[in-house]
Amino acid sequence: MGKVLDLFYLLAALLYLPSLGRRRAGLRQRLGFYPPKTFAKSQDKKPLIWVHAVSVGEVRAAEPFLAILRENHPNCRLALSTITHTGNAVAQTAARSDEPVFFFPFDLTGAVRRCLRAVRPACLLILETELWPNLFQAAAAKNIPIAVINGRISDRAFRRYRRFSFLFRGSLARVNLFCVQSEKDAERFKALGAAPDRVKITGNLKFDRQGSAPVKGAATAHPDELWIVAGSTHDDEEKKLCQAYIQLRNKFSGLRLLLAPRHVRRCPEIVARIKEFGLKPILVSEWEDGAKNLQPNEILLLDKMGRLAEYYGLADIVFIGGSLVPHGGQNPLEPASLRKPVVFGPHMFNFKEIQRLFLEEEAVLEVKTAEDLVPAFAGLLSSGEKRRLLGERAADLLA
């Protein structure tokens, strides 16, 4: 099966080559070649727990879990892997100085074997839905226990996994424990081949993450200002938010808008998009240095990675990106923990359980279309009491 999978991956990699060409940093590690010093501090007699979190959201969700692992298993060491470069950067801040942070290997036979020889884990903990047949097979051959933590399978992923069930059924049989978010996730893992007695419903780790402190210094709102912070926005959402802002700024003279794109590399195109509306984009990296109040025609653009949670503290309203377009939404729990009123669009399918809970408790304002943004924002901007109640319901739900 390993050689068949390798061929399958290599064919798929032909589509991935342009991306690899742009992101050579980390490529050697993804092929299983790690600098000797990467795991030098961890190669002692302490068992090493390998935690894999694919990107920023998973790393953030893992932080309280990592703290509990450190507390409950002081005789073990941790190592943290990611796939994305943004995730790797955040993982560097989440890990301790003696905890290796590295790029997850491609699921090629040679790469995973080299990785396992370098890491030498006592166990492997995979967050959410990272199912890699060759890695699981190689780990099982070395009697390395595998657990899926905070497991979930979205509608889209479930259809994809079922299409290739012949690849994943044997892999899931090698996993010793599935700690999943909901009953639906449990049923889906079982349908794909997980042993029923190994599947446990443990809830969503993201509910355990505490809110970040508000930003200080230059990023302090003027008393007469009202801030909409749009977090983790995707293509086309910035346009819709700018259009809504233009309609609202005359009625609310102190209104300010901060756009925080999901991918910082998109900032140049967003700058151009903002200018098309006759607005002036101001990069956070420049604004913090100058510490000046924004003008009504100026839009703040977050071009610093890992700072969004802090800027939620500045918000009077938080808009959750990825939800006006069919991306699947982003995590609304961080602003909820800060008692911020949250608004999101209809496309929250990557966070279905969270969406359901928030709507049932009336702890969020959901808009169906981009045209609904203006009345939704206006209703909240007009009433501090409405904002307070919505934020309180969100925080109470989280508690």
Side-chain angles (χ1 to χ4, degrees):
M1 178 61 78
K3 292 182 179 179
V4 174
L5 279 169
D6 286 351
L7 178 60
F8 175 82
Y9 288 139
L10 289 171
L11 290 173
L14 294 176
L15 301 175
Y16 192 47
L17 281 176
S19 176
L20 290 178
R22 294 192 301 269
R23 294 174 171 270
R24 287 188 294 272
L27 180 56
R28 279 186 57 81
Q29 291 193 21
R30 299 222 58 195
L31 291 171
F33 297 103
Y34 299 93
K37 65 178 182 179
T38 304
F39 303 100
K41 292 183 180 179
S42 63
Q43 301 300 354
D44 55 21
K45 294 182 179 180
K46 290 184 177 181
L48 187 139
I49 301 172
W50 174 6
V51 179
H52 173 60
V54 60
S55 191
V56 174
E58 291 77 17
V59 174
R60 292 297 190 200
E63 286 182 306
F65 178 60
L66 296 174
I68 290 172
L69 285 177
R70 295 183 188 112
E71 181 181 352
N72 291 351
H73 302 279
N75 295 323
C76 294
R77 304 286 288 278
L78 300 184
L80 188 58
S81 68
T82 70
I83 287 179
T84 70
H85 290 256
T86 51
N88 185 272
V90 173
Q92 298 285 350
T93 66
R96 292 181 175 177
S97 59
D98 62 340
E99 295 172 351
V101 175
F102 60 102
F103 284 99
F104 191 77
F106 291 120
D107 198 44
L108 299 170
T109 304
V112 298
R113 288 177 178 172
R114 285 189 290 271
C115 179
L116 288 173
R117 283 198 297 269
V119 181
R120 293 193 289 178
C123 65
L124 170 59
L125 308 182
I126 304 280
L127 264 82
E128 299 208 2
T129 319
E130 290 285 292
L131 309 178
W132 298 107
N134 275 335
L135 176 63
F136 288 5
Q137 180 178 345
K142 291 179 173 289
N143 296 316
I144 298 170
I146 306 167
V148 172
I149 306 298
N150 209 39
R152 72 178 180 97
I153 302 181
S154 67
D155 296 346
R156 184 186 299 174
F158 187 54
R159 290 193 295 270
R160 185 169 63 247
Y161 284 132
R162 290 190 72 172
R163 191 178 303 127
F164 298 101
S165 60
F166 65 97
L167 293 177
F168 294 103
R169 186 165 294 276
S171 304
L172 294 181
R174 295 185 173 93
V175 177
N176 302 82
L177 178 64
F178 296 85
C179 297
V180 304
Q181 295 183 17
S182 69
E183 182 67 38
K184 178 178 282 188
D185 294 310
E187 293 305 317
R188 286 179 170 178
F189 275 106
K190 293 172 188 176
L192 292 174
D197 62 335
R198 297 183 179 184
V199 180
K200 312 295 180 185
I201 300 171
T202 54
N204 192 335
L205 269 182
K206 291 180 179 178
F207 278 104
D208 295 325
R209 178 170 170 77
Q210 298 299 312
S212 301
V215 284
K216 299 177 181 179
T220 301
H222 188 276
D224 295 330
E225 292 178 338
L226 290 169
W227 281 80
I228 298 173
V229 174
S232 298
T233 57
H234 289 256
D235 189 31
D236 200 43
E237 288 185 313
E238 294 89 8
K239 171 185 175 181
K240 296 169 181 175
L241 289 159
C242 284
Q243 289 172 330
Y245 173 74
I246 289 171
Q247 294 183 59
L248 290 164
R249 64 177 176 171
N250 291 330
K251 183 177 180 181
F252 303 97
S253 59
L255 183 60
R256 303 292 180 260
L257 174 63
L258 182 146
L259 299 173
R262 174 67 171 168
H263 302 291
V264 174
R265 65 178 181 274
R266 293 185 55 242
C267 280
E269 71 180 72
I270 299 171
V271 165
R273 180 68 58 86
I274 293 172
K275 289 180 178 179
E276 290 175 2
F277 290 99
L279 300 170
K280 182 180 179 181
I282 305 292
L283 299 178
V284 162
S285 57
E286 300 171 354
W287 182 65
E288 288 184 333
D289 291 338
K292 71 180 186 70
N293 292 331
L294 291 182
Q295 300 304 308
N297 69 323
E298 295 177 333
I299 303 294
L300 202 58
L301 183 59
L302 185 57
D303 61 337
K304 291 187 171 186
M305 190 173 58
R307 299 289 304 282
L308 176 58
E310 298 175 26
Y311 271 88
Y312 279 148
L314 188 68
D316 295 282
I317 300 172
V318 170
F319 173 78
I320 303 298
S323 63
L324 274 182
V325 294
H327 174 79
Q330 300 295 339
N331 181 15
L333 297 181
E334 279 187 319
S337 72
L338 294 170
R339 301 182 180 275
K340 301 298 180 179
V342 173
V343 178
F344 56 55
H347 303 291
M348 288 289 290
F349 50 80
N350 285 337
F351 298 87
K352 272 193 170 182
E353 183 66 11
I354 292 176
Q355 178 191 31
R356 181 187 66 80
L357 290 171
F358 270 69
L359 289 173
E360 284 182 356
E361 297 297 323
E362 298 182 349
V364 70
L365 196 57
E366 183 180 71
V367 296
K368 298 301 182 184
T369 68
E371 289 70 29
D372 297 330
L373 285 174
V374 171
F377 287 154
L380 290 172
L381 292 168
S382 299
S383 173
E385 181 65 9
K386 286 183 180 179
R387 297 196 301 273
R388 186 189 68 78
L389 286 174
L390 199 61
E392 290 289 340
R393 290 194 200 112
D396 290 345
L397 171 60
L398 198 56

